[in-house]
Structure formats: C-alpha cells, structure tokens
Amino acid sequence: MSIKDKVGSARSLWMDADGPDADIVVSSRVRVARNLTAIPFPHLLDLEKSREVTAKIRKAIENTEASELIGNLELTELGELTPLERQLLVDKHLISPDLLNDFQAKAVAIRQDEAVSVMVNEEDHLRIQCLLSGLQLKEAWEIVNKVDDGLEKTLDYAFSEKLGYLTSCPTNVGTGMRASVMLHLTGLKITNQIGGVFHAIGKLGLTVRGLYGEGTEAASDLFQISNQITLGQSEEELVNNLTSITRQILTQERASRKSLYIDRREFIEDRVYRAYGILKNARILTLEEAMRLFSDLRLGIGLKIILGIHDKLLNVLMVEASPAFLMKMAGRELSSHQMDVYRADLIRNEFEKAEK
Amino acid sequence: MSIKDKVGSARSLWMDADGPDADIVVSSRVRVARNLTAIPFPHLLDLEKSREVTAKIRKAIENTEASELIGNLELTELGELTPLERQLLVDKHLISPDLLNDFQAKAVAIRQDEAVSVMVNEEDHLRIQCLLSGLQLKEAWEIVNKVDDGLEKTLDYAFSEKLGYLTSCPTNVGTGMRASVMLHLTGLKITNQIGGVFHAIGKLGLTVRGLYGEGTEAASDLFQISNQITLGQSEEELVNNLTSITRQILTQERASRKSLYIDRREFIEDRVYRAYGILKNARILTLEEAMRLFSDLRLGIGLKIILGIHDKLLNVLMVEASPAFLMKMAGRELSSHQMDVYRADLIRNEFEKAEK
C-alpha cells in the first residue's frame, strides 16, 4: 500500500498501546537530524537543488544492500499529496507541521507500519524518526540508529570531529538527537502537582510541550517531555537520562492516581463514568471536549474502573477526531458544526463496536 | 396497608403517567377547602379543640352509608408519624408543607391509591384533594365532589348563601376550590417563549409556581398553573376554564418542541442523549442536576428520541430523588455528599432495570 492509500487510516504502530507502561506513556519518539556534506542547509536551497537532495535520499533508501538496516521505506514527495493528505500526516505525528511550508521541495519516507519516518528537507536534509508505544526510548533509538547506518552506506553526512553532526539549527548540533515521551499525567494535574513536576523537569534540561509539539496548548492532559541538550552527551546517555526521568514521573503519576482513588473514589468514578456516558451518547462533540473526555476515560482504563475499552481505541480516536481525518472519512468539506456532529457519530459508533 | 407502611413507597396514582397528554401535563389536581360550622378556624383552636375536629372528620370518613362516595380513606394523625414520614407525604404531594407546622393538631386521610387525600386542620378544617395523571381536571373535580358529598352526610359545613363556602383565608371563599395542572414546558423554555406565556396566563387570573408550590424555584421545567379566583364562578366553570387554557399552552408547547426538533435536531438529540448518558453513568448527582437531566430526558421521551423509558419511571425517580426518600431507603441519616452518591446509585439501578 502506498502512503496515499494508508494516510487516511489511523493505524500506526504506536497506537497499539502495547508497549511498557503504555497506560501513561502513550508513545516514545527518537529522531536524529542529518545533513548531506557539501550541500547548503534546506532553507538555502532552490526547488531544483532541493529535489537533488530528495533524489540522493531516495537512492539511499532504495539501496538494496542496506535494506536490512533501513527496512521497507516508501518515499513520497509532499507535492504528490493533497492538502488534506499532508495534514493527515501531521495528525498522525509522522511529519512535523513545519514540513507543510514550501512543501514542493519536501518529501517523506514512511515504513509500512508507520513506526519509522524520514522527513526530507525539513529544517535539515534528513530527520529520521521512530515512534513506538509505551516507554521504549532505547528501542526507538536502536531502530533510528540502524536506519541511520543504512542510509549512511550511500549518503555522506556533514560531520565535525569536534562538534558531531552539523545541523541547520545550533540547538541540534552534536548528536542531532531529540528524544521525547508523550505522557498522560492526569493524576498529577487533578492533584495540582503538575506545576512542581514541570518545574523540576525544566531544571534537568528537559522541555515540556502540549500534544502537537512546540507552541500548542496542552490538550487532554498529554504532555511531551523532550531533551533540550544535544551536545556533550552520547545518544545512549540522552536516552538513559530521559528514560530514568520518565520512570520517576511515572512513579509520581501512579502514586497520585492511587491516592486519588483511595481518598476520592466516588469523585474519580463519577468523572470517569460521566466521560464514558457522554462519549457514548453525545450527538455534538468539539475536538476540545472529546480530548478532555478521552483523558478522563484513559484514567478510568488505567485505574481499571472501565474494562472492555482499550487504550488503543483512544489512541486511534484521538487521531481520527481531528478535522482532517473527519473530512477524509466524510469524503467532503465539513463546516465546524458538521465536524462536531460527525465526530460524535464516529466516536459513538466506535464505542458501540468495541462493546460488542 | 397503613399510611405508615405506604409512605416510603413512591407509588401514587398520578405517577403512572397514563392520563391524557401525560407527556406534558404531569398531573392535574383539584382541592376544595371546607370548614365545620360553629367551630373557629384551625389557627384559633387549641390542641384539644383541634382533636375534636379530627374526631368529627374521622367519624364522617368512617360513615359506612357514605363509603361508596368517599372510598376507602385511612386517617392518620401527623403526630403518629416520624419527621421523615411526614416529609415523605410532602414529597409525594399528598399534604402541603404547611401541614408540618404544629403537626400535633393535624391529620391526613389518604385513599389506598393515593389519588385522594384529605388534610385536617391545615388552613381550613378540611382540604379535600384529588391528584390524577395527565389533563384530568374534570375527573379530579368529580372525585373531589363525591368525597365532599359523602363527608357532608355527617358534617355540617360553614356555608353562606351569599358567599358560598366560608374559608379561613378570603381568597378561598366561594367554591373553596383550587384547581391546578403541573406542566413540563421545556420546549417553551428552550425557545425563550415561556415568559410571554406566563405573562398571558397572569392576565387570565391564573398563577404560575415551581414544582413544590408557592415560593419555590421552578425546578426541572415543571410549572404549576392554578386558578386564583374562587368566587363568582362555578366549580365547573373554573375547571373548564383551566382545562381550556391548559390545552392552549399544550398546543404551544408541542409546536415549540416540533420546531426545535426540525430546526435544531442535533442540538436536541445531543441534549437528550447526554442527559441519558449522565443519568446512567454518574456516581454523584445533586438533586438539582438530577431534576435538570430528568427534564431533558422527559423531552426526549416526548419526542420519541428515547424509547424504552417511560415517563412513569421519571415521575417515580423525581419523588424518590428527594432527601427524605433517599434517607428512608438508606434507612439512616445521610450527609449531603452521601445523598448525592446514593441518588446516583438509585437512578442508575432503576435505569438498568428499566432497560432489561
């Protein structure tokens, strides 16, 4: 199946929710930034030169000698996709919103299971990312590392013995690596402890962002925590460091949920069951309300208040509830109100199916 | 079964919701005020004299020659009941809240099906009331009239050829009759037409009150409309007049619901189904929220959006959701929070039973 065929389906590997601690660690992501030697960074290239970069990368991806390392990646130029299809890639976290600017010069290669994607001509010539379910930073890094090694059999990377990998933005110089986890911290939020946790995280050189990366509001109690530093530490150190901090936050989140469930059991059950009841019954649902209700329900699944519904369904619905997905499924433009009605119908039907 | 045994069960005839237009006219009520001749009005009596009045009325009720007219009434002095049991009678609309003041002097006689009750020593020596489901003012009046005739076989009523029945409060002089209907006017409320309707009603000599009579807030979109005038019109005229005005309001309410359902179908369905989803799932429900949700659900039943749930269940739950009923069912004192939890449990269980 081509990217064009698969883009409308909200089924990426990370959504399966079968990774370790996936009830709280929704996903782990590792990406590295790479640039080709002797070619200016993407923002300095005209369309023709950009396409030369894409051609080089296509060749590297299709290098059969490296295919065991790289896996089955399929490269698509963004210009081949409709605006809706491009947005769907963003909603599935396979590309960054930045890749939509001047998209004619850009491309993306995606593995069949959508766990690996390689952005071409974003801020750097290559951004290799791996996205897995649960706390699997090490595993994600190993996959990225293999793909990186495989591509390097063909490509010449810009690398300095002193600085490491050279990148368009100095904050990526060194390992060129960004590792992140998406955490569902609703217990810490309800108990008003989240501010303190984030304050501590900041002191450790980590950043917290909302669901869709930098500059967006924290929706549905999902927070992305990532490293800021790419220089002076090895990739393994970065991954180990973030893994260990994530484990600490996990412990705090579990403790806050447990105490909530002991001290305010009826309050929590009420909150969870109301969310469930509204999701299964509402006829109009805004994206914001749906996200808030998913968060409450996710808490209920984690606390085993709600059985019979799996986090996987919430991961899928969270992606499918986005405007682009709804329009793709409807096969037509939708007004804001039509979108809210379509979203409610979709969610209700999915829960009905899941309960059968 | 004695009143003491039956008081904890929320099963009165009006709750069956089987009367004409019972989807909007929840109940019809007629009561007449009567006083015994040559005995001062109740507020002027000491306890001993009050008990003499009660004794006279008991004798009249037990007059076997009149039993076909009166029916099977059972008289209980309020002092025989616990405070909780007295409150339950108010919640079931069998007695007025006023009967709880100086209750030692007071009594009530109730028919087995709880459609007829006779208050003794409220504002007047006798208040004979009949409460039926739907728009049945004429039927209620005929029942009250028969009981009245039956009691008059024994009792001597204070009556003036010029003024009619003499009553403690001059607003009741004449027929001594108050007729009222309890209407669920949620369509007119949502469409902001209710103010205009009430304004028109006022001009016709009628009064509008909230659920529990004078001075209480209109809860759950239920409004009691009653006549103000008792003098200068016959009982039949009063009943016919209120019936005809009720029919007009009914037409307006149905029209507003229909237009809402045509113009804003998704909005109405969303409102109704959310109410249903919350009632079936919440673990904490205040009385106020429960009443609001019952109102939305009642609208959904009326519009045939919700099948499988009958207005009867809502009538029962509306009564059972009151603090006194919850404590009676729990068999113990409940804090405000415990009450909200118990209420949610009760409602959820009843809906589960109804859906089986």
Side-chain angles (χ1 to χ4, degrees):
Chain A
M1 274 222 283
S2 76
I3 289 178
K4 243 181 136 59
D5 293 330
K6 289 194 64 181
V7 71
S9 146
R11 299 286 182 279
S12 302
L13 195 62
W14 71 268
M15 293 183 202
D16 285 351
D18 53 1
D21 297 301
D23 57 328
I24 292 171
V25 189
V26 175
S27 61
S28 294
R29 193 174 74 102
V30 169
R31 70 111 174 108
V32 295
R34 298 289 182 261
N35 287 280
L36 303 184
T37 190
I39 300 178
F41 292 129
H43 66 279
L44 298 170
L45 299 180
D46 60 19
L47 190 55
E48 197 184 340
K49 285 278 176 200
S50 299
R51 287 192 169 144
E52 280 173 29
V53 171
T54 304
K56 278 179 197 285
I57 293 170
R58 184 188 292 276
K59 209 176 142 198
I61 285 170
E62 291 171 356
N63 176 3
T64 48
E65 281 169 38
S67 64
E68 210 167 302
L69 290 167
I70 296 171
N72 186 17
L73 289 184
E74 192 200 325
L75 188 138
T76 301
E77 289 185 35
L78 288 213
E80 294 170 38
L81 303 175
T82 64
L84 192 62
E85 287 166 343
R86 288 193 289 273
Q87 184 58 47
L88 292 171
L89 291 175
V90 176
D91 292 346
K92 289 167 89 171
H93 307 277
L94 294 170
I95 65 172
S96 65
D98 282 351
L99 205 70
L100 302 188
N101 306 330
D102 299 319
F103 61 83
Q104 290 293 355
K106 295 168 185 173
V108 63
I110 299 173
R111 204 167 82 173
Q112 276 297 319
D113 63 3
E114 299 185 355
V116 175
S117 60
V118 180
M119 287 192 279
V120 177
N121 291 326
E122 204 238 30
E123 209 175 87
D124 299 289
H125 293 143
L126 292 114
R127 289 270 173 109
I128 307 166
Q129 97 161 8
C130 178
L131 192 59
L132 297 176
S133 166
L135 185 50
Q136 297 201 70
L137 286 168
K138 192 162 164 280
E139 292 77 359
W141 159 240
E142 282 164 2
I143 291 170
V144 165
N145 197 27
K146 274 211 269 182
V147 175
D148 190 35
D149 287 349
L151 295 174
E152 215 177 354
K153 289 195 184 296
T154 310
L155 302 172
D156 263 347
Y157 287 154
F159 186 80
S160 140
E161 283 302 330
K162 197 178 150 207
L163 294 171
Y165 291 100
L166 301 179
T167 55
S168 172
C169 176
T171 59
N172 286 309
V173 167
T175 57
M177 180 206 262
R178 189 85 73 200
S180 66
V181 284
M182 183 73 78
L183 304 178
H184 183 236
L185 301 181
T186 197
L188 291 169
K189 197 166 167 196
I190 294 173
T191 55
N192 288 319
Q193 297 175 81
I194 199 132
V197 171
F198 289 170
H199 186 72
I201 288 171
K203 287 191 178 171
L204 297 166
L206 299 174
T207 318
V208 181
R209 293 170 188 153
L211 181 58
Y212 289 102
E214 218 158 345
T216 58
E217 266 305 287
S220 69
D221 304 340
L222 289 172
F223 301 95
Q224 193 189 74
I225 294 170
S226 61
N227 66 311
Q228 275 293 76
I229 299 154
T230 54
L231 196 64
Q233 280 190 302
S234 73
E235 288 88 345
E236 285 75 13
E237 282 171 332
L238 287 172
V239 160
N240 288 341
N241 186 29
L242 182 56
T243 301
S244 129
I245 291 166
T246 302
R247 288 233 166 83
Q248 288 175 42
I249 301 172
L250 253 178
T251 306
Q252 288 175 283
E253 172 65 20
R254 290 209 193 285
S256 72
R257 289 183 181 197
K258 201 176 163 188
S259 79
L260 264 177
Y261 201 41
I262 291 170
D263 302 340
R264 301 172 71 191
R265 187 184 181 107
E266 286 138 355
F267 162 79
I268 288 297
E269 287 186 345
D270 186 59
R271 187 169 168 142
V272 166
Y273 276 109
R274 274 174 189 254
Y276 198 30
I278 293 172
L279 285 168
K280 288 197 296 183
N281 283 283
R283 262 58 181 171
I284 300 173
L285 273 175
T286 64
L287 179 59
E288 198 188 335
E289 185 184 12
M291 289 293 179
R292 188 174 59 68
L293 298 172
F294 288 155
S295 173
D296 290 345
L297 194 51
R298 200 183 281 274
L299 175 67
I301 295 168
L303 287 171
K304 297 195 172 34
I305 296 170
I306 299 287
L307 309 169
I309 297 287
H310 193 265
D311 284 324
K312 179 178 178 175
L313 178 60
L314 296 189
N315 289 344
V316 170
L317 286 176
M318 201 166 66
V319 171
E320 288 186 344
S322 76
F325 260 90
L326 295 177
M327 287 200 271
K328 175 79 183 175
M329 282 185 277
R332 60 191 167 94
E333 289 280 314
L334 297 172
S335 72
S336 166
H337 172 70
Q338 288 170 333
M339 204 108 74
D340 293 346
V341 171
Y342 201 94
R343 184 180 293 113
D345 288 349
L346 167 80
I347 291 170
R348 207 169 58 248
N349 292 336
E350 288 296 331
F351 277 115
E352 271 169 26
K353 263 193 264 168
E355 285 182 344
K356 261 179 195 160
Chain B
M1 275 222 283
S2 76
I3 289 179
K4 241 181 138 59
D5 294 330
K6 288 194 65 179
V7 72
S9 148
R11 299 285 182 280
S12 301
L13 195 62
W14 70 268
M15 292 182 202
D16 285 351
D18 54 1
D21 297 302
D23 57 328
I24 292 172
V25 189
V26 175
S27 61
S28 294
R29 193 174 74 103
V30 168
R31 69 112 173 106
V32 296
R34 298 288 182 261
N35 287 281
L36 304 184
T37 190
I39 300 179
F41 292 128
H43 66 280
L44 298 171
L45 299 180
D46 60 18
L47 189 55
E48 197 185 339
K49 285 277 177 201
S50 298
R51 286 193 170 145
E52 280 174 28
V53 171
T54 304
K56 279 179 196 285
I57 293 171
R58 184 188 291 276
K59 208 175 142 201
I61 284 170
E62 291 170 355
N63 176 2
T64 47
E65 281 170 37
S67 64
E68 210 168 300
L69 290 169
I70 296 171
N72 185 18
L73 290 183
E74 192 199 327
L75 189 137
T76 301
E77 289 184 34
L78 288 213
E80 295 170 37
L81 303 174
T82 65
L84 192 61
E85 288 167 342
R86 287 193 289 273
Q87 183 57 45
L88 292 171
L89 290 175
V90 175
D91 292 345
K92 289 167 90 169
H93 308 277
L94 293 171
I95 65 172
S96 66
D98 281 352
L99 205 71
L100 303 189
N101 306 329
D102 300 320
F103 60 84
Q104 291 294 355
K106 295 169 185 173
V108 63
I110 299 173
R111 202 168 82 174
Q112 277 296 321
D113 62 4
E114 299 184 355
V116 175
S117 60
V118 180
M119 287 192 280
V120 177
N121 290 327
E122 204 238 33
E123 209 175 88
D124 299 289
H125 293 143
L126 291 116
R127 288 271 174 107
I128 307 166
Q129 97 162 8
C130 178
L131 192 58
L132 297 176
S133 165
L135 184 51
Q136 298 199 71
L137 286 168
K138 192 163 164 280
E139 292 78 359
W141 158 240
E142 283 164 3
I143 291 170
V144 165
N145 196 28
K146 275 212 268 181
V147 175
D148 190 35
D149 287 350
L151 295 174
E152 216 178 352
K153 288 193 186 296
T154 310
L155 302 171
D156 261 346
Y157 287 153
F159 186 79
S160 137
E161 283 301 330
K162 196 177 151 208
L163 293 171
Y165 292 100
L166 300 179
T167 55
S168 171
C169 175
T171 60
N172 286 309
V173 166
T175 56
M177 180 207 263
R178 188 85 73 199
S180 66
V181 284
M182 182 73 77
L183 305 178
H184 183 236
L185 300 180
T186 196
L188 291 168
K189 197 166 168 196
I190 293 174
T191 55
N192 288 319
Q193 298 175 79
I194 199 130
V197 172
F198 289 171
H199 185 73
I201 289 171
K203 287 190 176 169
L204 296 167
L206 300 174
T207 318
V208 180
R209 294 170 187 153
L211 182 57
Y212 289 101
E214 218 159 344
T216 58
E217 266 305 286
S220 69
D221 304 341
L222 288 171
F223 301 95
Q224 194 190 72
I225 295 170
S226 60
N227 67 310
Q228 276 291 79
I229 301 155
T230 53
L231 195 64
Q233 280 191 302
S234 73
E235 289 88 346
E236 284 75 12
E237 281 170 333
L238 287 171
V239 160
N240 287 342
N241 185 30
L242 183 56
T243 301
S244 129
I245 291 166
T246 302
R247 288 234 166 83
Q248 288 173 43
I249 301 173
L250 253 179
T251 305
Q252 288 175 285
E253 172 65 20
R254 291 210 192 285
S256 73
R257 289 183 181 197
K258 200 176 162 189
S259 78
L260 264 177
Y261 201 42
I262 290 171
D263 302 338
R264 301 173 71 191
R265 186 185 182 108
E266 285 137 357
F267 162 80
I268 288 297
E269 287 186 345
D270 185 59
R271 186 169 168 142
V272 166
Y273 276 108
R274 275 175 189 254
Y276 197 31
I278 294 172
L279 286 168
K280 287 197 297 183
N281 283 283
R283 262 58 184 172
I284 301 172
L285 273 175
T286 64
L287 180 59
E288 198 188 337
E289 186 184 9
M291 288 294 180
R292 188 174 60 68
L293 298 172
F294 289 156
S295 173
D296 289 344
L297 194 51
R298 200 182 281 273
L299 176 67
I301 295 168
L303 287 171
K304 298 194 173 31
I305 296 170
I306 300 287
L307 308 169
I309 297 287
H310 193 266
D311 285 325
K312 179 177 178 175
L313 178 60
L314 297 189
N315 288 345
V316 169
L317 285 176
M318 202 166 65
V319 171
E320 288 186 344
S322 76
F325 260 90
L326 295 177
M327 286 201 273
K328 175 78 182 174
M329 283 185 277
R332 60 190 167 94
E333 289 280 314
L334 296 172
S335 71
S336 168
H337 172 71
Q338 288 169 333
M339 204 108 74
D340 293 345
V341 171
Y342 200 94
R343 183 180 294 115
D345 288 348
L346 167 80
I347 291 171
R348 208 168 57 248
N349 291 337
E350 288 297 331
F351 277 115
E352 271 169 27
K353 264 194 263 167
E355 285 183 344
K356 259 177 200 163

